[in-house]
């Protein structure tokens, strides 16, 4: 197992080195090889009888590949606004709807592009005339798709600050190997309501 892993890492390093200086197109061609080698190192650590010992035995090159596979990057993926059905019969009515909901979605992947999980918040904002009168947290959560990753829970908050309504959830994840939390990221998804528009982002906080 160890020798086959080293062979794959060495092959990837060789390919990458050959492509350095050959231009952007050639550099992009090395990415699938790097991703495959990073996944191979991660899986062998995960499947080892003694994960802690296997992790400690990684060479600097192998550890770099392991970190590429386990270090997350977050991104916004979709947003959805739904006006109150009772008043949403036209664009004018929708704009003046007493209440509407905003679903804000996000995702996170590793450094070589493999998806690890998703998270989302759905908030509702209600308006009356020139005021945002109330906001509510409707639902939200997280799920994981990466091996070894788990969703561990959430905290939520809502409020109207200076006539702007905010609803957000903070979603917690972890990657645990050999009883050690290798990664413990938390991500937020937030719905924002004003008297004119609704929007969302991936920030925490009421304001």
């Amino acid at each position: 197992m160890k020798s086959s892993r080293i062979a794959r890492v060495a092959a990837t390093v060789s390919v990458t080195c050959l492509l350095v200086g050959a231009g952007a197109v050639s550099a992009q061609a090395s990415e699938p090889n790097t991703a495959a080698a990073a996944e191979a190192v991660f899986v062998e650590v995960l499947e080892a009888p003694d994960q802690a010992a296997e992790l400690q035995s990684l060479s600097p090159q192998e550890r770099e590949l392991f970190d590429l596979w386990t270090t997350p990057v977050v991104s916004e993926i979709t947003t959805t606004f739904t006006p109150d059905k009772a008043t949403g019969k036209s664009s004018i009515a929708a704009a003046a709807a007493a209440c509407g909901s905003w679903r804000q979605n996000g995702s996170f992947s590793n450094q070589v592009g493999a998806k690890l999980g998703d998270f989302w918040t759905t908030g509702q904002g209600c308006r009356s005339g020139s005021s945002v009168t109330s906001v509510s947290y409707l639902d939200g959560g997280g799920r994981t798709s990466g091996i070894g990753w788990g969703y561990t829970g959430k905290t939520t908050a809502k409020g109207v600050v200076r006539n702007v309504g905010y609803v957000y959830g903070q979603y917690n994840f972890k990657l645990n190997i050999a009883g050690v939390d290798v990664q413990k990221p938390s991500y937020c998804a937030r719905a924002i309501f004003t008297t004119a528009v609704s929007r969302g982002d991936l920030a925490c906080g009421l304001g």
Side-chain angles (χ1 to χ4, degrees):
M1 293 281 282
K2 181 79 170 179
S3 61
S4 64
R5 186 181 72 207
I6 292 173
R8 279 194 293 273
V9 174
T12 301
V13 172
S14 297
V15 170
T16 303
C17 288
L18 286 172
L19 291 169
V20 171
V25 174
S26 295
Q28 290 173 0
S30 71
E31 290 178 4
N33 298 309
T34 302
E39 182 178 17
V41 172
F42 173 73
V43 169
E44 290 196 25
V45 170
L46 200 67
E47 295 180 348
D50 188 339
Q51 294 177 334
E54 187 75 7
L55 188 59
Q56 290 297 319
S57 74
L58 296 181
S59 69
Q61 289 178 343
E62 292 168 344
R63 184 61 197 231
E64 183 176 350
L65 289 167
F66 179 85
D67 289 343
L68 285 175
W69 193 261
T70 59
T71 303
V73 177
V74 68
S75 62
E76 182 177 313
I77 49 175
T78 60
T79 56
T80 306
F81 176 73
T82 305
D84 180 76
K85 291 181 179 179
T87 57
K89 297 179 181 180
S90 68
S91 59
I92 295 175
C99 298
S101 62
W102 183 279
R103 179 180 169 113
Q104 180 72 28
N105 300 303
S107 70
F108 62 104
S109 304
N110 63 23
Q111 299 283 323
V112 290
K115 189 174 180 180
L116 301 174
D118 300 284
F119 56 96
W120 68 94
T121 293
T122 305
Q124 183 186 65
C126 295
R127 309 171 176 88
S128 178
S130 60
S131 299
V132 176
T133 56
S134 65
V135 290
S136 302
Y137 180 94
L138 299 183
D139 68 69
R143 56 176 173 259
T144 57
S145 52
I147 298 172
W149 283 87
Y151 170 60
T152 61
K154 67 184 178 183
T155 57
T156 66
K158 63 178 183 176
V160 179
V161 179
R162 292 185 290 276
N163 208 30
V164 178
Y166 298 93
V167 180
Y168 77 89
Q170 182 171 332
Y171 307 100
N172 307 312
F173 302 87
K174 72 175 180 178
L175 170 63
N176 185 280
I177 297 177
V180 176
D181 292 336
V182 178
Q183 297 284 351
K184 291 182 66 176
S186 294
Y187 302 115
C188 285
R190 182 171 69 169
I192 303 170
F193 303 92
T194 71
T195 55
V197 297
S198 299
R199 58 187 177 88
D201 59 24
L202 300 184
C204 300
L206 305 179

